[in-house]
């Protein structure tokens, strides 16, 4: 692709720039450096606008390697009423299940009426709108473009089709899928190949942040022993009876459903962009992060995912879970977590190495990374879950 | 006869090695005393000066440690380049700015972990002030950082330009940087349609 230095000011179409000299500074830069700048811009909307600036910009945008897609709104495929779009996950709304219920039965009983994940992440991108109106309508059609209230929406697949060489793709949803009450903490991090590889969930029934420094010096000495509780890391008996365990199960299942739904919807993007090294699908609330590295992406291209029969999400395999619990956790920065729970999940048939320590360091941002490290020192409880 | 010679050899070798031994002794004591953090590092490594010659005839003499921030120069030093290094692609004005950056970024992290975060923050603030330059200088800095292969400076300058242009409309970008619109109105309309999702409806 040849490029000529334009020095003839007569041929300019636009008005003279104010105060700056006429020289096009971008002319100084070779294409590789311009691409470096575009990589740092990353946001796909900004890059789309750059296509209009000049032919040179337009020809370079498809080669950007680092792309960020900020999704404006999510349109659900449900035909349920708009009011019930997101459901809260508090213990009060869980119906009582029989003592002998397996987790899958618990799921069917408890879960179906409570939580419906977004079915159609396919209709995602549109012009910026106020968030209150983003859950107004529901559609049943899945396609490249959807008309809603006179505004056309575009899917990420469509938006990304101009980009030929993406290496690092980040997609950011406007909000997390799980509706949780204020003060409740729920964060998940999942790695997927063609199926779930690894998932960590950190939850707490209440989070209180304090800025007082006196707390922190005290807590550094006694990270595990708080409010005179049982210090050997055991779960108190009350946890089983007051709905605590049920709540954690609901958290776990809903996080896994959200993660597997995201994974399912990424498949067309992954098939199309073969140069991907890394893919991260997160949300602006910081609730859930799904990530896939190069090996995992290859695995998905080679072994297609198994879809769950009922809904548009990947099948979650049979799982081994490890759970740690602390009735109260006082973090060094003053944050207090009550009912803090960490769950580490991997498939029962996973042949991959267990490398929790390194994964844990990066999984949650501070102060929750510290919380996870503190929790993992406590007693480990093991659970199993059927595939769903 | 062999046994008798040993004391002489011993004395000779001691004499031969003693200047080095003394130097070692002094360096070791400086290192262990460590009155000022980082000083020991400087006294050992900054003894050599490198001369850089720019395209417009200016000359700069800097410490080797500072010069080594540029991978291009570091490679030249490794392959035995001793005399002044000619840099035809960089003017004096730009190189001065580049050297300022390299000097500040040589001693990057303190000796202990607690200082790391604070030091990194201070460095970021310094970087933000450093990069407040006019448009022409930034582009020259990008080119210089690329030519000299200074990763941190290249990243900083490109990010600055990126942040500056990312929220601008195409017209603004053209206006600010003096870029010519080489589309015909029909072509521009077609590209706009292709990327309609990137535009707000009221623009």
């Amino acid at each position: 692709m040849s490029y000529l230095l334009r020095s003839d000011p007569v041929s300019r179409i636009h008005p003279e720039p104010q105060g700056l000299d006429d020289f096009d500074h971008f002319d100084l830069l070779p294409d590789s450096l311009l691409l470096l700048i575009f990589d740092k811009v990353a946001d796909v909307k900004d890059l789309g606008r750059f296509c209009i600036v000049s032919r040179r910009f337009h020809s370079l945008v498809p080669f950007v390697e680092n792309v960020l897609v900020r999704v404006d709104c999510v349109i659900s495929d449900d035909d349920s009423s708009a009011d019930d779009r997101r459901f809260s996950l508090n213990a009060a709304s869980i119906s009582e299940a029989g003592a002998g219920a397996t987790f899958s039965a618990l799921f069917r009983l408890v879960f179906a009426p409570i939580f419906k994940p977004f079915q159609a992440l396919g209709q995602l991108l549109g012009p910026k709108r106020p968030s209150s109106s983003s859950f107004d309508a529901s559609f049943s059609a899945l396609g490249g473009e959807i008309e809603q209230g006179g505004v056309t929406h575009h899917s990420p697949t469509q938006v990304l089709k101009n980009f030929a060489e993406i290496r690092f793709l980040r997609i950011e949803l406007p909000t997390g899928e799980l509706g949780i009450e204020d003060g409740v903490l729920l964060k998940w991090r999942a790695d997927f190949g063609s199926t779930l590889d690894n998932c960590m969930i950190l939850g707490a029934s209440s989070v209180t942040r304090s800025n007082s420094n006196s707390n922190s010096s005290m807590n550094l000495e006694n990270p595990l022993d708080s409010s005179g509780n049982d210090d050997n890391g055991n779960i108190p008996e009350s946890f089983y009876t007051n709905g605590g365990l049920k709540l954690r199960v609901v958290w776990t299942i809903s996080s896994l459903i959200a993660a597997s739904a995201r994974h399912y919807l990424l498949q067309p993007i992954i098939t199309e962009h073969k140069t991907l090294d890394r893919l991260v699908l997160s949300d602006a609330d910081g609730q859930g992060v799904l990530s896939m590295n190069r090996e995992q992406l290859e695995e998905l291209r080679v072994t297609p995912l198994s879809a769950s029969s009922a809904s548009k999400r990947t099948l979650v395999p049979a799982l081994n879970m490890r759970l740690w619990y602390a009735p109260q956790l006082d973090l060094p920065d003053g944050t207090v977590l009550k009912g803090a729970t960490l769950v580490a999940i991997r498939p029962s048939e996973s042949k991959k190495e267990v490398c929790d320590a390194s994964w844990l360091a990066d999984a949650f941002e501070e102060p929750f990374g510290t919380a996870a490290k503190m929790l993992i020192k406590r007693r480990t409880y093991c659970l199993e879950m059927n595939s769903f | 006869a062999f046994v008798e010679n040993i004391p002489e050899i011993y004395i000779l070798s001691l004499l031969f090695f003693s200047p080095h031994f003394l130097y070692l002794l002094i360096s070791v004591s400086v290192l262990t005393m460590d009155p000022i953090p980082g000083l020991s590092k400087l006294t050992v490594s900054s003894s050599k000066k490198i001369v850089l010659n720019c395209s417009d005839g200016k000359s700069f003499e800097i410490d080797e440690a500072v010069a080594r921030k540029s991978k291009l120069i570091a490679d030249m030093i490794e392959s035995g380049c001793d005399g002044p290094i000619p840099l035809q692609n960089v003017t004096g004005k730009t190189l001065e700015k580049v050297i300022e950056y390299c000097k500040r970024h040589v001693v990057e992290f303190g000796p202990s972990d607690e200082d790391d975060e604070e030091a990194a923050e201070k460095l970021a603030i310094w970087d933000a002030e450093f990069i407040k330059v006019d448009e022409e200088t930034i582009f020259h800095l990008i080119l210089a950082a690329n030519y000299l292969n200074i990763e941190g400076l290249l990243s900083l300058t490109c990010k600055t330009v990126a942040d500056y242009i990312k929220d601008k409309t195409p017209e603004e970008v053209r206006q600010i940087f003096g870029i010519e619109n080489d589309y015909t109105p029909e072509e521009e309309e077609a590209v706009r349609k292709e990327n309609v999702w990137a535009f707000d409806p009221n623009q």
Side-chain angles (χ1 to χ4, degrees):
Chain A
M1 161 175 55
S2 61
Y3 183 72
L4 296 171
L5 198 66
R6 289 181 294 268
S7 55
D8 180 12
V10 175
S11 59
R12 289 188 190 279
I13 300 169
H14 64 86
E16 293 297 335
Q18 304 145 348
L20 296 167
D21 53 50
D22 292 352
F23 182 54
D24 174 2
H25 290 99
F26 280 103
D27 277 351
L28 286 175
L29 301 180
D31 286 347
S32 55
L33 288 181
L34 198 50
L35 271 176
L36 206 57
I37 294 177
F38 285 174
D39 271 346
K40 300 223 181 272
V41 170
D43 193 321
V44 79
K45 279 195 177 179
D46 295 324
L47 292 173
R49 279 203 300 274
F50 290 167
C51 288
I52 302 286
V53 172
S54 73
R55 285 183 205 245
R56 185 186 180 203
F57 275 40
H58 183 73
S59 64
L60 286 177
V61 162
F63 295 101
V64 175
E65 292 183 351
N66 177 15
V67 177
L68 163 68
V69 179
R70 280 213 179 92
V71 172
D72 293 317
C73 63
V74 183
I75 304 168
S76 173
D77 206 30
D78 267 356
D79 45 12
S80 60
S81 79
D83 296 327
D84 297 326
R85 190 56 34 80
R86 278 172 27 157
F87 300 87
S88 57
L89 294 174
N90 53 12
S93 60
I94 299 173
S95 56
E96 288 301 317
T102 60
F103 279 130
S104 51
L106 190 68
F107 160 63
R108 276 195 296 276
L109 230 129
V110 162
F111 223 75
I114 288 181
F115 176 78
K116 284 199 176 95
F118 297 123
Q119 303 288 351
L121 231 52
Q123 277 68 259
L124 292 184
L125 215 60
K128 287 192 169 40
R129 304 161 67 200
S131 54
S132 55
S133 60
S134 46
F135 299 106
D136 279 351
S138 64
F139 298 85
S140 52
L142 259 180
E145 287 178 20
I146 290 289
E147 285 285 327
Q148 184 193 32
V151 175
T152 314
H153 295 266
H154 305 264
S155 66
T157 325
Q158 210 194 358
V159 158
L160 290 171
K161 73 171 190 281
N162 285 336
F163 295 89
E165 306 238 338
I166 309 180
R167 288 187 173 278
F168 181 25
L169 175 62
R170 284 170 291 156
I171 303 180
E172 193 180 272
L173 302 176
T175 53
E177 297 96 323
L178 309 177
I180 47 177
E181 292 170 347
D182 281 337
V184 173
L185 173 74
L186 184 56
K187 287 183 184 290
W188 56 266
R189 297 287 178 272
D191 264 15
F192 273 80
S194 60
T195 182
L196 179 66
D197 272 352
N198 199 344
C199 179
M200 288 274 202
I201 302 173
L202 179 67
S205 44
S206 93
V207 184
T208 32
R209 291 167 210 271
S210 83
N211 290 324
S212 81
N213 288 323
S214 55
N215 277 345
S216 56
S217 51
M218 196 166 59
N219 294 328
L220 275 170
E221 293 152 29
N222 284 325
L224 295 178
D225 183 17
S226 327
S227 66
N229 271 344
D230 178 349
D231 190 33
N232 60 5
N234 283 340
I235 292 181
E237 281 306 307
S238 57
F239 182 71
Y240 300 103
T241 49
N242 67 3
L245 177 62
K246 278 205 196 79
L247 179 62
R248 269 107 193 132
V249 168
V250 171
W251 284 350
T252 305
I253 295 179
S254 50
S255 303
L256 287 170
I257 289 190
S260 54
R262 286 190 192 181
H263 180 247
Y264 182 81
L265 294 157
L266 287 175
Q267 202 175 15
I269 296 178
I270 294 171
T271 347
E272 190 166 322
H273 295 273
K274 303 214 190 299
T275 51
L276 276 174
D277 277 343
R278 202 158 128 66
L279 173 56
V280 172
L281 177 45
S282 63
D283 57 73
D285 289 338
Q287 190 182 84
V289 176
L290 184 154
S291 76
M292 298 176 71
N293 63 24
R294 179 135 204 126
E295 284 157 12
Q296 291 164 327
L297 290 162
E298 261 320 299
E299 193 186 308
L300 181 55
R301 290 194 194 106
V302 167
T303 322
L305 55 83
S306 338
S308 153
S309 50
S311 46
K312 294 196 175 67
R313 59 175 183 82
T314 312
L315 193 68
V316 176
L319 303 169
N320 276 340
M321 307 190 327
R322 286 175 295 155
L323 184 146
W324 297 269
Y325 174 82
Q328 179 167 321
L329 211 57
D330 293 324
L331 301 179
D333 73 342
T335 312
V336 175
L337 299 176
K338 288 209 164 68
T341 316
L342 179 68
V343 186
I345 303 168
R346 29 182 67 237
S348 315
E349 290 170 0
S350 169
K351 299 178 203 76
K352 294 182 186 164
E353 292 281 313
V354 180
C355 51
D356 281 332
S358 55
W359 220 78
L360 208 48
D362 300 326
F364 300 106
E365 79 275 6
E366 291 303 324
F368 304 115
T370 318
K373 287 188 196 110
M374 287 162 73
L375 278 167
I376 224 169
K377 293 182 187 136
R378 297 173 74 83
R379 186 167 164 190
T380 310
Y381 288 83
C382 292
L383 302 103
E384 280 175 16
M385 193 178 284
N386 289 337
S387 151
F388 62 93
Chain B
F2 186 64
V3 175
E4 286 156 22
N5 283 339
I6 282 190
E8 288 169 293
I9 294 173
Y10 185 68
I11 293 166
L12 271 172
S13 53
L14 199 63
L15 280 173
F16 182 69
F17 284 117
S18 63
H20 302 269
F21 182 66
L22 278 172
Y23 175 71
L24 203 65
L25 202 60
I26 293 170
S27 318
V28 166
S29 61
V30 169
L31 281 169
T32 49
M33 280 191 322
D34 205 15
I36 301 166
L39 176 63
S40 51
K41 203 162 116 182
L42 286 173
T43 52
V44 172
S45 65
S46 70
S47 44
K48 190 167 170 205
K49 299 274 184 199
I50 306 280
V51 175
L52 304 173
N53 289 336
C54 316
S55 57
D56 50 3
K58 283 209 196 121
S59 221
F60 293 88
E61 190 184 63
I62 53 175
D63 291 340
E64 181 179 328
V66 174
R68 275 177 174 273
K69 289 298 284 180
S70 153
K71 280 192 86 189
L72 180 78
I73 297 179
D75 285 346
M76 280 181 167
I77 297 173
E78 294 297 319
S79 48
C81 182
D82 253 350
I85 295 181
L87 299 172
Q88 269 111 3
N89 292 352
V90 193
T91 63
K93 181 171 165 228
T94 310
L95 189 58
E96 207 171 329
K97 230 17 201 153
V98 170
I99 289 173
E100 192 188 329
Y101 176 88
C102 293
K103 275 190 178 151
R104 181 62 177 82
H105 279 252
V106 164
V107 187
E108 272 183 15
F109 294 106
S112 61
D113 276 340
E114 286 123 36
D115 294 337
D116 263 359
E117 221 180 279
E118 220 183 281
E121 250 180 68
K122 281 200 187 133
L123 201 59
I125 295 173
W126 187 91
D127 277 351
E129 273 308 307
F130 170 80
I131 210 65
K132 282 184 182 158
V133 292
D134 63 74
E135 187 194 305
E136 185 160 346
T137 311
I138 276 222
F139 279 90
H140 286 294
L141 279 175
I142 294 180
L143 286 169
N146 183 47
Y147 171 65
L148 294 168
N149 201 342
I150 306 173
E151 196 181 309
L153 183 58
L154 187 59
S155 190
L156 174 66
T157 45
C158 286
K159 182 91 175 62
T160 308
V161 175
D163 286 342
Y164 191 50
I165 60 175
K166 64 194 299 219
D167 290 325
K168 306 269 186 301
T169 65
E171 290 77 22
E172 282 167 343
V173 176
R174 280 191 216 122
Q175 212 171 23
I176 294 168
F177 294 104
I179 302 172
E180 186 188 331
N181 181 0
D182 49 357
Y183 283 120
T184 68
E186 297 83 31
E187 284 170 342
E188 183 172 332
E189 199 43 49
V191 176
R192 214 174 251 272
K193 258 205 192 122
E194 205 179 281
N195 296 308
V196 64
W197 39 264
F199 296 92
D200 280 337
N202 45 7
Q203 265 192 356

